[in-house]
Amino acid sequence: MNDSGPGGGGYFWCLRDRRVETGDDLCPAQYRLGPYATADEATRALETVEKRNAEWDAEDARWTGEVS
């Protein structure tokens, strides 16, 4: 992955346009998830976010002594 261009390289998922973007064809940063190493990873960005959020919620519950 290179660091050239406005996105810094890699693949991004655009929340606004609901598509993978790369290079100079990027939506504004506030709508982007990434960068990801592959277009397939970028396509699954929302799944990755949901999985990580669930893991972090479970970790927070363990930290505060709540049963999950």
Side-chain angles (χ1 to χ4, degrees), residues 2-68:
N2 67 35
D3 290 330
S4 63
Y11 297 87
F12 297 84
W13 180 255
C14 178
L15 296 166
R16 182 183 63 185
D17 299 328
R18 301 181 56 83
R19 66 181 180 142
V20 174
E21 299 180 338
T22 189
D24 293 331
D25 180 32
L26 294 174
C27 63
Q30 66 204 42
Y31 300 111
R32 274 186 262 160
L33 297 177
Y36 295 94
T38 66
D40 189 52
E41 288 178 14
T43 300
R44 295 190 318 267
L46 293 177
E47 294 172 26
T48 302
V49 167
E50 288 178 13
K51 179 183 173 194
R52 288 179 181 164
N53 284 345
E55 290 170 355
W56 292 335
D57 288 345
E59 185 177 329
D60 287 347
R62 284 191 301 275
W63 181 261
T64 61
E66 299 173 24
V67 177
S68 56

